[in-house]
Amino acid sequence: MATAGVQEARIPPLTSTSEIPPLFDGTTRLYISYLCPYAQRVWITRNYKGLQDKIELVPIDLQNRPAWYKEKVYPENKVPSLEHNGKVLGESLDLVKYIDDNFEGQSLVPSDPAKKEFGEQLISYVDTFTKELYSALKGDPIQQASPAFDYLENSLGKFDDGPFFLGQFSWVDIAYVPFVERFQLVFFEVFKHDITEGRPKLAAWIEEVNKINAYTQTRGDPKDIVDLFKKRFLAQQ
């Protein structure tokens, strides 16, 4: 099964001195940063569908990115992007669906109409969820982030055929997990707060997601994540 996955060694990210890959040579490439939660969504998708041999991972150092990435690959100069069939596409959730639609492997979007509808509802909230969490860091983090985590708690358990948002693991879990991973860690390390306290379904969901190798292989180094948050979002504290 795809969740067993392949354990890949992490290659060093490409920097401003790295040579450009041979673009549009028929190789499908997923450009990521190891610490970017948006890129992580697409990386999880690739792994879960067992596409390690079909989609080459190209990590970029966002602090010292190569000029050719913007000039020749992706003018938006962000990650993730996907080079496939002579074109380069972007936007993480669009790429999750694109890979799900255009490559083999277990589907991440359920066909059941009720699950599909609820999934779209959860996906439509994810940007609000992330904004609420990041803005909470500027105020009273525990109190201000509480409604966002409560939303997840209340959304879990709607389907009884599995512990995930739509029962079985899906693109909804992939959309949320990179951010839950980061904020669970930062709230615990910086604010000494456990986001699963009083939220048993969220705790169970995190436990189950961490059994999926396709996801755990993409997890960031905890120290790097906390350091990044301290520098970028918590500098005033």
Side-chain angles (χ1 to χ4, degrees), residues 137-195:
L137 297 176
K138 298 170 186 162
D140 178 344
I142 295 166
Q143 187 181 351
Q144 285 178 238
S146 191
F149 294 127
D150 287 343
Y151 179 90
L152 299 191
E153 178 69 15
N154 296 331
S155 299
L156 287 158
K158 187 173 172 69
F159 301 99
D160 59 8
D161 60 333
F164 302 106
F165 283 106
L166 305 183
Q168 299 301 302
F169 189 73
S170 75
W171 72 311
V172 176
D173 304 288
I174 288 172
Y176 280 93
V177 74
F179 296 95
V180 175
E181 173 190 327
R182 282 156 179 76
F183 280 90
Q184 181 185 29
L185 180 65
V186 169
F187 270 59
F188 187 76
E189 293 291 334
V190 179
F191 307 117
K192 311 304 177 201
H193 176 70
D194 179 3
I195 66 166

Side-chain angles (χ1 to χ4, degrees), residues 193-220:
H193 176 70
D194 179 3
I195 66 166
T196 66
E197 189 180 320
R199 300 184 182 102
K201 289 184 286 188
L202 180 60
W205 177 78
I206 291 170
E207 186 179 339
E208 291 299 322
V209 171
N210 276 292
K211 294 176 184 173
I212 296 178
N213 289 341
Y215 159 63
T216 57
Q217 290 174 15
T218 70
R219 286 182 60 120

Side-chain angles (χ1 to χ4, degrees), residues 3 7 12 16 18 45 61 96 131 159 167 184 198 205 223 227:
T3 51
Q7 191 63 48
S16 57
S18 302
T45 302
D61 182 346
V96 169
K131 280 178 191 149
F159 301 99
Q184 181 185 29
W205 177 78
K223 184 181 182 304
D227 287 349

Side-chain angles (χ1 to χ4, degrees), residues 30-195:
L30 173 60
Y31 296 87
I32 66 160
S33 155
Y34 286 134
L35 283 178
C36 172
Y38 297 97
Q40 189 180 4
R41 289 169 166 171
V42 195
W43 186 8
I44 297 166
T45 302
R46 163 200 181 257
N47 291 357
Y48 191 78
K49 291 178 75 72
L51 298 169
Q52 288 90 338
D53 293 335
K54 303 275 174 70
I55 300 177
E56 180 184 322
L57 213 58
V58 183
I60 300 282
D61 182 346
L62 295 183
Q63 307 310 311
N64 184 24
R65 68 191 85 187
W68 51 255
Y69 182 67
K70 179 179 183 180
E71 292 163 7
K72 304 279 178 66
V73 180
Y74 192 46
E76 299 279 338
N77 205 23
K78 326 184 272 194
V79 292
S81 69
L82 183 75
E83 176 192 339
H84 182 236
N85 282 351
K87 58 185 184 291
V88 177
L89 309 164
E91 298 302 325
S92 64
L93 291 176
D94 291 345
L95 291 181
V96 169
K97 285 202 84 172
Y98 180 86
I99 289 173
D100 200 48
D101 290 342
N102 289 279
F103 290 85
E104 63 198 35
Q106 193 168 339
S107 178
L108 286 160
V109 181
S111 54
D112 176 86
K115 290 186 175 188
K116 204 168 208 172
E117 184 182 354
F118 190 55
E120 293 287 353
Q121 187 182 318
L122 289 167
I123 291 290
S124 70
Y125 176 72
V126 72
D127 284 344
T128 302
F129 173 80
T130 57
K131 280 178 191 149
E132 285 181 359
L133 291 183
Y134 283 110
S135 63
L137 297 176
K138 298 170 186 162
D140 178 344
I142 295 166
Q143 187 181 351
Q144 285 178 238
S146 191
F149 294 127
D150 287 343
Y151 179 90
L152 299 191
E153 178 69 15
N154 296 331
S155 299
L156 287 158
K158 187 173 172 69
F159 301 99
D160 59 8
D161 60 333
F164 302 106
F165 283 106
L166 305 183
Q168 299 301 302
F169 189 73
S170 75
W171 72 311
V172 176
D173 304 288
I174 288 172
Y176 280 93
V177 74
F179 296 95
V180 175
E181 173 190 327
R182 282 156 179 76
F183 280 90
Q184 181 185 29
L185 180 65
V186 169
F187 270 59
F188 187 76
E189 293 291 334
V190 179
F191 307 117
K192 311 304 177 201
H193 176 70
D194 179 3
I195 66 166

Side-chain angles (χ1 to χ4, degrees), residues 14-31:
L14 301 185
T15 67
S16 57
T17 59
S18 302
E19 288 189 17
I20 187 169
L23 299 178
F24 310 122
D25 62 347
T27 303
T28 301
R29 296 182 178 89
L30 173 60
Y31 296 87

